[in-house]
Amino acid sequence: MWLDRFSNQSTSNGSLPPPQTRSLSPAPRRQSHLAPVPPPRPGYNPRSSSLSLNSKTNSSSTSLTATSRVPNGSALKRELTPPPDVGDPLDILQSIIGSTTRQHETPFSSDDEPLGGKPQALTAYVDFGGLSLQDFAGNKKQLREPNLTLRYQESKQSVEEYEKDTERFEELHRSITACDNVLKSVEVSLASFQKDLGLVSTEIETLQSRSTAMNTRLENRKIVEKLLGPALEEISISPTTVRVVSEGPVDENWIDALFDLEKRLDIINSKIVSPSTIRAITDIKPLLDNLSNTAVERIRDFLVAQIKALRSPTINAQLIQQQTLARYKDLYRFLAKQRPQLGEEIGQAYINTMRWYYLNHFTRYRQALDKISIHQVDRHDSIGGDQFSQRGNKATGSKQAPYNAVNIGRRMDVLKTSNQSAISSYLAEDDKSSHFIETPFRNFSVALIDNVSFEYSFLTEFFSANTFNQMSRRFSEIFEPTFALGQTLTKDLIENTFDCLGILLCVRLNQRSAFELQRRKVPVAENYINATNILLWPRFQVVMDFHCESVRHLAANISGRSAASKLTFTGTASDVSKQSTAPHYLTQRFGQFLHSILAISYEAGDDEPVSSSLGRLRGEYEAFLVKASKGAGSEGAKRERFLANNYALVSTIIADTEGKLAADQKRYFEGLQASQR
């Protein structure tokens, strides 16, 4: 370092180095953070300078502390003692100019002026104080030596301090060098980063241009897709749909795929007939036709398998209809639309199967109903028949409790019951009790109406594409033999019976069936209801006429001699004068029969044959009473009392009946009773 060189030179040579003048650095001075900076020494004017500690390896600059700087000016020259081998300048000057002196010598105004500085004023006269130039110079030398020695000692102390701080300065130098190395690496990294950043910027610009181009293409594709998308969607079909229709099981997903296929077929068929046919449509139509043929084959096999299952003797047809056929009704609709002839053949196969199914099951059901024991009501059970005959069950020949054929009793329960189900064939076969004809008629009718309603509902749902006439034709083909079986059962029940109440109950049950069909909106069984009415009403008229004939025959057999014995319930002639006004036993039977007819017809009107038949029967009964009253004696009051008692009994018996027809009959007999008072 230059401080070391300065110290060595001053000690070895004993001469002071020439002063160094340095220009001010244009760069701003940086404050060192490695050592504390003491305040500058008073009386010195420090300036910033850049010291090169190592001219070869150090490229950095730093600022020394204020104590280590050399102040500006030539004060250092005055402080340092010149070496001993150098003569004093004044002595040299005196040796040159000789001993010439001047009278006046102007001394320096201040010892602090720099040696090489310009004096403030030059004077022509220098006062040597009476001394020669040599003496004068020596005197000045003695005056300066104490001051110069002091200055030299202070400078020497400063150099020693610099030497003591050498290690600290070297450490500072190493730190600065390390910082320079770090800064160089940072500079390299920043330069590399700047280069990479430029590359990234270029790539970003490239990506931005590509993104702009892609956005433009995307917008163009969206426009094209908006125009072509619907058209392509209409005629294209997904591979999933093709795979499901061709290989998938027949279930809900298969039906959805079938809907998709049908939709595409309808669109292509509608577009292919237009004059401007698209080539894509002509290309895809054969493929869709092949897929449609595959779907038709699978539907055909599925429906045939289900129809075959209906022919099983132990199968419940309603389960297959509800859970399979009705659930997959769209399969038949697609089949009938794509292959009408094949659809008609499948429909006819179903009709033939169900025709056999219902006929077979209802034939077995009728055979079970035929095993029910029926009361045989014959001619002896008429109103004018023998009142003392005990009627049993003639069908089986076994002894049964007696029954009254003219009294309704609990037979009205068949109309009032809330149970709308029919007896099963197993229970019918095991039933050992006796019933009237309305029991098997009701069970067969209920079973038939239930099956008719269900089958009609299924037909309208499964063959929904058919018109009402086509539906009615299909229904008639299915149930025609079953309806014939029901009419045969009705005919067998009423053909030989004289059970007028049973026939009328069958009429009311048939009307209930008609009302139930109307409520269920099943119009296809109307012909069966009408045919059954045609069988019931004429037979009812025949039996009513027979009752009228029995009363007429009983009146014709009354004579004057035997009239007294015919008046009482007991039929005995004892004490005729006391019992001649009592009601006739025929009145009791007529009242019960009339009550039964009115109870069954509580909802009937005047337009039915019941009203006219009751009118004829009532006329025959009145004629009988008038003729029988003659046996009460020749007194008119007795005869009137006899008639009044019989009319009163009839009125009492029918008092609890309801309906329009019952009201007319009660009003009529009350009038007859009043007329006899």
Side-chain angles (χ1 to χ4, degrees), residues 29 31 36-48 64-72 162:
R29 185 175 61 187
Q31 180 70 30
V37 180
R41 182 179 298 174
Y44 290 90
N45 184 14
R47 60 178 179 178
S48 62
L64 297 177
T65 59
T67 58
S68 62
R69 292 197 188 99
V70 179
N72 292 330
Y162 287 139

Side-chain angles (χ1 to χ4, degrees), residues 148-421:
L148 290 175
T149 303
L150 180 61
R151 296 286 181 89
Y152 177 77
Q153 292 177 354
E154 291 179 355
S155 175
K156 186 177 181 180
Q157 292 177 356
S158 299
V159 171
E160 292 176 354
E161 292 178 359
Y162 287 139
E163 290 179 352
K164 293 179 180 179
D165 294 337
T166 300
E167 294 181 0
R168 185 168 59 87
F169 290 149
E170 290 179 354
E171 181 67 26
L172 176 62
H173 173 69
R174 286 192 295 271
S175 300
I176 293 173
T177 303
C179 291
D180 288 343
N181 294 333
V182 173
L183 290 175
K184 286 180 181 180
S185 64
V186 171
E187 182 180 3
V188 173
S189 300
L190 291 176
S192 176
F193 176 75
Q194 185 176 7
K195 182 179 179 180
D196 295 340
L197 188 61
L199 296 176
V200 171
S201 178
T202 304
E203 292 180 359
I204 290 175
E205 292 177 356
T206 304
L207 292 175
Q208 186 175 5
S209 60
R210 292 177 60 187
S211 176
T212 303
M214 292 178 65
N215 288 334
T216 303
R217 290 197 298 269
L218 180 60
E219 293 297 331
N220 295 335
R221 288 186 179 182
K222 286 183 178 180
I223 295 174
V224 174
E225 183 181 1
K226 185 176 181 181
L227 297 176
L228 296 180
L232 295 176
E233 182 67 22
E234 288 178 351
I235 63 175
S236 63
I237 188 169
S238 64
T240 303
T241 302
V242 176
R243 184 168 54 256
V244 170
V245 172
S246 302
E247 303 174 358
V250 179
D251 52 9
E252 298 295 337
N253 295 330
W254 200 89
I255 294 178
D256 294 338
L258 186 66
F259 284 156
D260 192 12
L261 173 61
E262 184 179 10
K263 181 180 178 181
R264 301 298 186 272
L265 288 173
D266 294 341
I267 294 174
I268 290 179
N269 292 332
S270 63
K271 290 182 178 296
I272 203 170
V273 297
S274 62
S276 58
T277 304
I278 303 175
R279 183 175 180 179
I281 295 178
T282 58
D283 293 340
I284 199 174
K285 189 177 186 305
L287 302 178
L288 291 180
D289 290 339
N290 293 335
L291 186 60
S292 176
N293 294 334
T294 302
V296 168
E297 292 177 0
R298 298 198 64 186
I299 292 173
R300 179 199 61 191
D301 297 340
F302 177 79
L303 293 179
V304 169
Q306 300 303 319
I307 292 174
K308 286 183 178 180
L310 292 173
R311 289 184 171 272
S312 177
T314 59
I315 197 69
N316 188 352
Q318 293 183 359
L319 293 178
I320 298 179
Q321 290 173 336
Q322 286 179 344
Q323 298 180 2
T324 305
L325 294 179
R327 182 181 178 184
Y328 301 111
K329 59 183 178 180
D330 295 317
L331 302 183
Y332 178 80
R333 181 184 56 79
F334 180 84
L335 177 66
K337 183 178 180 180
Q338 301 298 325
R339 300 291 186 272
Q341 183 177 359
L342 180 59
E344 187 65 26
E345 293 176 357
I346 296 295
Q348 189 62 42
Y350 172 79
I351 290 173
N352 295 335
T353 299
M354 297 308 297
R355 180 189 182 99
W356 168 87
Y357 176 83
Y358 286 117
L359 180 61
N360 181 41
H361 284 73
F362 273 97
T363 299
R364 293 173 53 191
Y365 189 64
R366 184 196 167 175
Q367 293 174 356
L369 293 178
D370 289 341
K371 295 181 179 181
I372 296 178
S373 178
I374 304 297
H375 293 294
Q376 297 295 330
V377 181
D378 53 14
R379 295 174 179 270
H380 299 89
D381 294 311
S382 62
I383 295 178
D386 187 5
Q387 61 169 329
F388 299 106
S389 61
Q390 299 291 329
R391 312 303 298 170
N393 192 342
K394 299 179 181 180
T396 60
S398 59
K399 189 70 174 179
Q400 296 288 343
Y403 63 89
N404 191 350
V406 298
N407 188 14
I408 188 63
R410 300 186 60 180
R411 297 173 67 179
M412 274 293 295
D413 294 342
V414 74
L415 296 178
K416 296 180 179 181
T417 181
S418 59
N419 185 15
Q420 299 298 327
S421 60

